[in-house]
Amino acid sequence: MFVCGPTVQDHLHVGHAKTYTAYDLLARLLTHLGYSVTFVMNITDVDDKIFYGAKASGKSVSAYVKFYTSSFLEDMKRLGVNTVTSYEKASDYVDIMVEQVRTLIKKGHAYVSGSNVYFDVNSFPSYGRLSHESKVELALKPVDLATGKKSPLDFLLWREGEDDEPGWSTEWGRGKPGWHIEDTAISIKNFGAQYDIHGGAHELIYPHHEAEIAQAESLTGVSPFVRYWVHTGLLTTEGKKMSKSEGNVVRLRDVLDKYGADSLRFYIFQSHYRVDSIFDELELESAHQRLLDLRERISEEVSEVSYRQKGELLPRDKLSAELLGPLLDDLNTPLLWRRVEHLSKSMGSLPQNKQVRAVLSLGLVSSLTGVDFLGMDSSNKGTESCTQLCK
Ligand SMILES: [Zn+2]
């Protein structure tokens, strides 16, 4: 699984948490089902926004990148995203990108224009396959205003750099890679010509993911490049995408300081991962309270003996199937939460053996979702505990 990671130009905002927890949940579930998951996430550390951000802050590009990369990794850890096998920095793959651009030119899929190199979209007939839009429709959404292109849909593979910014020397001049080729280099190097799952927020479908498909399939001749595309909805503020330029950013670390990862994940999973939702702190606050109440109710209602079983092995039974069912149906976390709520209300009146099973099932739900319903200690979370629980 490959998921588009952040451009390290700022601290993460809470919208990133919606995206990254969705793939974390998916990876935990797949691991539980017995799949061996290799989860690679890229870090975009070569980008104009980084260059201008560093300039504005008076820092060197490398100090700026280092600062926001550690901030990102720290936030992911605090958020409980512990399924990523490796984070790959774009700057470590520039040689491969240059080689890929060369190959695309050689194969007639790309052309040099001045010191820029463009992908020739007309050389790839199925462009638009992912977004289900024709080239005519896509042409109404210009990707950039660069000049020297043969067609408005063509996108940059390599672009001319300015003298004072980081750059790499090539036969086309000193410059830097286009954004889309960064992920193609990282994913092909790690997974080869074809792999299973590619994720990212749905706003990346066009042009980013269409471009990735065009590049990869033109390079390798293998189709499909990716077997399953999984796109997440956005977490917006008042209906607008959270972004530095909109000035409506809620920093993830501030939310984690105030509510913690369990409550934030509980809140995020109240909505389905594919749906856009609006970040509302009052709703987060009430989700936080609901989780505390649930935890308290469960620990009070359940007998000491049953409660002590938490974290033990869960036998496959009707109850565990009932709780796993919603997750197996396209990660239907809102339905899962309703079932957890329902179960918590009836636990007190269950006979001892069923109560134990209920505790074990909630332990499994906790380890899959990263939302602790049982007051388990922090070492008993995430994939490690899932592996222990499930095998
Ligand atoms: Zn990407």
Side-chain angles (χ1 to χ4, degrees):
M1 174 157 81
F2 179 89
V3 172
C4 289
T7 301
V8 281
Q9 47 147 349
D10 202 349
H11 297 293
L12 290 189
H13 56 67
V14 72
H16 289 115
K18 178 173 168 105
T19 309
Y20 301 145
T21 52
Y23 299 104
D24 183 48
L25 171 63
L26 181 58
R28 290 179 190 217
L29 180 65
L30 290 171
T31 304
H32 171 70
L33 296 173
Y35 292 95
S36 158
V37 181
T38 308
F39 180 176
V40 171
M41 189 180 284
N42 70 302
I43 293 178
T44 298
D45 60 350
V46 179
D47 191 277
D48 281 349
K49 282 181 242 140
I50 291 174
F51 172 65
Y52 293 117
K55 221 174 183 180
S57 70
K59 281 185 182 155
S60 71
V61 170
S62 65
Y64 188 81
V65 160
K66 207 171 160 196
F67 178 78
Y68 285 115
T69 303
S70 2
S71 161
F72 162 64
L73 295 174
E74 192 184 297
D75 283 0
M76 291 293 264
K77 201 172 170 191
R78 288 186 65 196
L79 186 60
V81 177
N82 55 12
T83 47
V84 179
T85 318
S86 73
Y87 291 99
E88 300 296 329
K89 287 187 265 178
S91 59
D92 290 337
Y93 287 79
V94 176
D95 289 351
I96 298 172
M97 296 170 208
V98 170
E99 206 40 59
Q100 289 187 338
V101 176
R102 252 179 224 142
T103 308
L104 286 170
I105 295 172
K106 224 179 280 169
K107 287 188 154 188
H109 290 289
Y111 58 92
V112 183
S113 171
S115 300
N116 293 324
V117 183
Y118 292 101
F119 186 90
D120 182 356
V121 169
N122 280 325
S123 75
F124 189 73
S126 61
Y127 197 72
R129 191 174 71 205
L130 184 68
S131 46
H132 304 290
E133 287 188 271
S134 69
K135 286 181 182 166
V136 178
E137 287 167 313
L138 292 177
L140 300 172
K141 307 176 185 173
V143 289
D144 57 56
L145 300 169
T147 51
K149 296 198 277 190
K150 286 190 203 164
S151 145
L153 291 180
D154 294 351
F155 54 86
L156 278 161
L157 293 170
W158 189 263
R159 61 219 160 101
E160 187 176 9
E162 288 168 42
D163 286 343
D164 58 341
E165 63 180 322
W168 290 262
S169 295
T170 65
E171 56 268 44
W172 322 296
R174 191 172 173 282
K176 57 207 169 171
W179 174 36
H180 316 309
I181 198 82
E182 294 186 2
D183 290 359
T184 309
I186 294 171
S187 51
I188 290 182
K189 171 75 181 163
N190 283 277
F191 298 144
Q194 189 176 56
Y195 63 97
D196 290 316
I197 302 169
H198 189 318
H202 66 62
E203 57 173 346
L204 298 181
I205 294 175
Y206 182 76
H208 188 48
H209 292 160
E210 289 285 5
E212 276 191 54
I213 296 171
Q215 293 166 162
E217 295 187 5
S218 301
L219 275 167
T220 67
V222 176
S223 176
F225 168 47
V226 170
R227 291 193 186 91
Y228 303 96
W229 287 88
V230 180
H231 290 105
T232 50
L234 299 177
L235 188 62
T236 59
T237 337
E238 287 154 5
K240 275 189 190 153
K241 189 196 153 188
M242 254 177 242
S243 75
K244 206 174 179 177
S245 50
E246 287 282 354
N248 59 355
V249 166
V250 180
R251 287 205 316 190
L252 174 58
R253 44 187 51 207
D254 297 338
V255 174
L256 288 172
D257 284 344
K258 209 163 163 188
Y259 301 98
D262 288 284
S263 295
L264 178 59
R265 293 175 77 119
F266 184 63
Y267 167 70
I268 288 173
F269 292 149
Q270 282 180 350
S271 313
H272 191 263
Y273 78 89
R274 269 192 287 114
V275 173
D276 285 345
S277 43
I278 295 172
F279 178 74
D280 181 336
E281 194 174 344
L282 284 177
E283 280 175 22
L284 170 58
E285 172 76 51
S286 80
H288 176 63
Q289 199 48 55
R290 250 182 75 214
L291 177 61
L292 296 180
D293 293 347
L294 261 169
R295 233 183 246 163
E296 201 179 298
R297 190 197 298 157
I298 292 165
S299 71
E300 276 173 8
E301 296 245 324
V302 166
S303 76
E304 182 67 35
V305 185
S306 311
Y307 200 66
R308 241 184 281 137
Q309 309 285 318
K310 64 186 180 183
E312 294 291 314
L313 195 83
L314 175 72
R316 285 177 200 275
D317 64 358
K318 213 176 133 218
L319 182 61
S320 62
E322 218 166 84
L323 290 173
L324 263 184
L327 290 182
L328 296 177
D329 184 13
D330 197 15
L331 306 179
N332 190 344
T333 51
L335 179 59
L336 174 64
W337 280 179
R338 288 200 291 282
R339 294 206 174 154
V340 166
E341 190 103 34
H342 183 76
L343 178 65
S344 76
K345 281 182 187 148
S346 61
M347 276 173 99
S349 56
L350 292 175
Q352 180 70 34
N353 63 333
K354 287 201 172 165
Q355 208 174 63
V356 170
R357 297 230 156 166
V359 168
L360 298 183
S361 299
L362 284 179
L364 174 64
V365 171
S366 297
S367 70
L368 290 177
T369 58
V371 178
D372 184 1
F373 290 101
L374 295 172
M376 303 200 280
D377 68 33
S378 57
S379 62
N380 200 8
K381 281 186 187 175
T383 38
E384 266 173 54
S385 69
C386 178
T387 313
Q388 284 160 17
L389 273 169
C390 317
K391 283 197 175 156

